[in-house]
Amino acid sequence: MTPPSAPGTEPAEAKAEAVAYQPPPAEADEGIQHSLFGEILDWMLAPLLLLWPMSIAITYLVAKSIANQPFDHALEDSVTVLAQQVRAVDGKISKGLPGLARDILRADDIDSVYFQIQGPHGEHIDGDRDLPPPVIDEEDLPTSASVHFRNDTMHGTPVRIAYAYVRLEHKTGNEAPMALVQVAETLEKRAQLANEIIKGVILPQFIILPIVLALVWFALARGLSPLAELQERIRARGSDDLSPIAPNQVPEEISPLVNSLNDMLARLSSSIDMQKRFIADAAHQMRTPLAGMRMQSELALRQTDSEEIRRSLEQLAKSSEAATRLVNQLLALARAENQPQAGTSLQPLELSELARGTVQDWVSASFAARIDLGYEAPAEPVEIVGNPTMLRELLSNLIDNALRYTPSGGSVTVRVRSDETRGILEVEDTGPGIAPAERSRVFERFYRILGNKAEGSGLGLAIVREIAQQHGVDVEIYANPRALQPKLPGALFRLSFPLPPAPPIEESEAPYYG
């Protein structure tokens, strides 16, 4: 025995479990109810709010490109004018611009303007010495006086530079030398113009964006309003109103949902009608044995002869037995209808063992009715999947039905066999049989063939059909091919069970043919 723990202490296992305990994982959001309005709004606004900063960045780049164009043209004109002033006199380059032209070139209230003229060998001719030259190999020098642009820095300040190479007078036998002309300016005016363009574009967006959001909100509310109207119409219905919803009163996108809902309402209405008919038929069927029991009990109370009283009590016992059987069949049918069609209720079982045990339960009843009840076992076991309790109820109803309709001296045979794809259960009798025109109707509740005097409620075969459908079993009715009397063609009920797939053969169990 394990000694009890001291007060205030806990076993080591309990402490370990307490430490190792982990809270259950959070449920997946599949079970969380989502708002259709909110989800659509998220999918519309999230891309919009992501695209808005991108549009601002693109607008800024476009504005800078637009702002550069007019100022680049002005720089190009300055370089062109300056290049026209460069000449070679007696093999030497002239000093360049006069003082007035120099002042005009530098006349700018916002930006600083720089210029430079270099000789063919990089010697300084005029302008600002600190202006950096372009990085171009001598082999890549341009052959024409086209103007080029580049970005650089001057005294730590970013500048935009326009430059061109000017060809001097040609010397005989040699290639004409090239002079470099550069004009640079800072970027203040460009930045101011770009900022003005951005302000002109961005500020209206701050006004338009709230309007767009309001329009999106209004459009979503307007577009989803038919759902709210449909909800109100459904809520306004009575509890017993299962009429279909008019599909022309909803938008086209909701029509598939409404059609599915109408199909469900039709199935529900059919099920309720069937239940109502079932209750009405059950009440009608119960009325007969109850009325007989009441009549026999009243008759027994009026009788004084003990023999007559005994006869009335025997009739009362028969009526109570019929009522009990009817109630049991009603309960069996209700249990069969509410039995789950899949899951833990189905299990592997051997069909021949189930059939043999069920036949043994009916041996005493067959002796009392003087009917030969037989069983034919298969050569090999027949493995199926099913609910043993429900399948026993199915076979019991087939045997009970056969015994009731087979006259004394006849026979009832239960047979189990199988082929390649199915297990087969057969119940055959030597009774009056079932006409082909009646075979599709005998499975209906409370249906009884006219002219039959056998006692019954008409529920046995309805129970058989319900259980068979839940197990995926096909039920067929034939005449008994072994019947000996033409007036008693008999009946053969054949049930075909699907066989479960064979388990895969493991590698260690595979046969070796080496």
Side-chain angles (χ1 to χ4, degrees):
M1 296 178 61
T2 303
S5 57
T9 62
E10 297 179 357
E13 293 82 356
K15 290 184 177 180
E17 290 180 0
V19 173
Y21 172 77
Q22 297 293 335
E27 295 183 358
D29 60 353
E30 294 179 357
I32 301 176
Q33 187 176 15
H34 295 279
S35 168
L36 183 61
F37 181 89
E39 195 152 339
I40 296 176
L41 196 64
D42 290 342
W43 279 102
M44 293 185 68
L45 293 186
L48 183 62
L49 295 178
L50 289 176
L51 290 174
W52 188 53
M54 295 176 60
S55 68
I56 293 177
I58 294 173
T59 302
Y60 176 74
L61 296 176
V62 173
K64 287 186 65 176
S65 175
I66 295 174
N68 277 332
Q69 291 179 5
F71 296 107
D72 283 351
H73 286 309
L75 275 180
E76 183 177 5
D77 292 341
S78 298
V79 170
T80 302
V81 172
L82 185 58
Q84 292 175 353
Q85 305 300 321
V86 178
R87 292 182 178 83
V89 180
D90 298 331
K92 296 181 179 181
I93 300 176
S94 62
K95 284 293 184 183
L97 293 180
L100 181 60
R102 188 190 304 267
D103 294 339
I104 295 174
L105 181 62
R106 295 183 182 274
D108 196 317
D109 296 335
I110 299 175
D111 283 317
S112 299
V113 180
Y114 309 95
F115 77 95
Q116 183 187 70
I117 302 176
Q118 287 186 358
H121 304 290
E123 65 273 16
H124 179 71
I125 303 300
D126 197 1
D128 300 284
R129 294 178 177 272
D130 298 336
L131 193 60
V135 181
I136 300 178
D137 296 336
E138 293 184 0
E139 298 178 355
D140 297 333
L141 288 176
T143 57
S144 62
S146 58
V147 179
H148 303 275
F149 296 90
R150 75 178 193 274
N151 295 319
D152 214 321
T153 58
M154 181 72 173
H155 302 154
T157 303
V159 292
R160 180 73 166 170
I161 302 175
Y163 63 96
Y165 286 90
V166 181
R167 190 177 300 280
L168 303 177
E169 63 180 8
H170 182 71
K171 294 183 179 180
T172 305
N174 296 319
E175 186 178 352
M178 304 284 286
L180 174 62
V181 179
Q182 296 189 104
V183 178
E185 68 175 0
T186 55
L187 307 179
E188 291 296 329
K189 293 194 300 294
R190 300 167 185 261
Q192 290 180 4
L193 180 57
N195 290 335
E196 292 297 328
I197 296 174
I198 293 174
K199 289 179 183 178
V201 175
I202 299 301
L203 287 180
Q205 290 187 8
F206 281 101
I207 300 174
I208 293 174
L209 186 61
I211 298 176
V212 170
L213 296 179
L215 290 176
V216 169
W217 188 284
F218 175 77
L220 281 178
R222 179 81 174 177
L224 295 178
S225 60
L227 288 178
E229 296 174 0
L230 178 61
Q231 177 184 1
E232 293 299 327
R233 289 203 302 270
I234 294 176
R235 284 183 176 178
R237 287 185 167 213
S239 58
D240 57 345
D241 185 4
L242 297 178
S243 60
I245 303 170
N248 57 352
Q249 297 179 0
V250 298
E252 182 179 354
E253 291 76 10
I254 312 178
S255 293
L257 174 62
V258 172
N259 292 334
S260 300
L261 185 60
N262 287 338
D263 291 341
M264 185 189 69
L265 290 175
R267 293 194 301 270
L268 181 59
S269 178
S270 176
S271 176
I272 292 176
D273 292 341
M274 185 171 58
Q275 294 296 331
K276 289 180 178 179
R277 290 195 303 270
F278 175 73
I279 294 173
D281 293 340
H284 176 74
Q285 293 292 329
M286 287 292 297
R287 188 181 297 115
T288 300
L290 291 177
M293 292 169 64
R294 179 179 179 182
M295 183 185 65
Q296 294 297 333
S297 62
E298 292 177 351
L299 183 61
L301 290 174
R302 291 196 299 266
Q303 295 290 341
T304 57
D305 185 8
S306 60
E307 192 65 29
E308 292 296 333
I309 294 175
R310 178 181 179 81
R311 188 179 299 110
S312 297
L313 291 178
E314 288 177 353
Q315 292 296 327
L316 183 62
K318 290 182 180 180
S319 297
S320 64
E321 181 183 356
T324 301
R325 182 174 181 275
L326 177 60
V327 171
N328 289 334
Q329 285 192 319
L330 288 173
L331 293 176
L333 183 58
R335 186 169 60 250
E337 289 179 341
N338 293 298
Q339 185 71 20
Q341 298 185 7
T344 57
S345 61
L346 301 183
Q347 61 188 52
L349 56 90
E350 213 281 301
L351 182 59
S352 59
E353 292 182 0
L354 183 141
R356 182 184 294 107
T358 307
V359 169
Q360 290 175 353
D361 295 339
W362 287 91
V363 170
S364 298
S366 66
F367 285 162
R370 294 185 298 172
I371 296 174
D372 180 18
L373 176 60
Y375 171 68
E376 296 181 7
E380 296 180 355
V382 179
E383 299 289 341
I384 63 171
V385 176
N387 185 310
T389 303
M390 303 306 296
L391 291 179
R392 188 180 294 273
E393 181 73 24
L394 176 148
L395 183 53
S396 294
N397 278 277
L398 286 177
I399 296 175
D400 182 29
N401 185 76
L403 292 176
R404 287 181 179 275
Y405 285 91
T406 300
S408 299
S411 64
V412 174
T413 304
V414 178
R415 184 182 302 106
V416 176
R417 57 189 179 88
S418 64
D419 56 20
E420 296 180 355
T421 60
R422 58 182 181 164
I424 299 174
L425 173 64
E426 294 179 341
V427 178
E428 66 179 24
D429 59 58
T430 56
I434 302 175
E438 301 284 345
R439 291 173 184 173
S440 61
R441 301 193 60 190
V442 293
F443 294 104
E444 298 177 4
R445 298 170 179 174
F446 304 110
Y447 180 80
R448 292 174 57 80
I449 299 175
L450 295 177
N452 266 324
K453 298 180 180 180
E455 296 181 357
S457 60
L459 287 175
L461 294 182
I463 297 173
V464 170
R465 181 185 63 177
E466 189 67 31
I467 298 176
Q469 288 178 349
Q470 293 182 2
H471 286 76
V473 175
D474 295 330
V475 183
E476 301 168 296
I477 303 177
Y478 303 96
N480 186 355
R482 297 172 181 80
L484 301 177
Q485 300 183 28
K487 293 183 179 181
L488 297 173
L492 171 64
F493 286 81
R494 178 176 296 163
L495 286 74
S496 300
F497 292 80
L499 295 179
I505 300 177
E506 297 183 0
E507 185 176 354
S508 59
E509 299 177 356
Y512 177 69
Y513 299 101

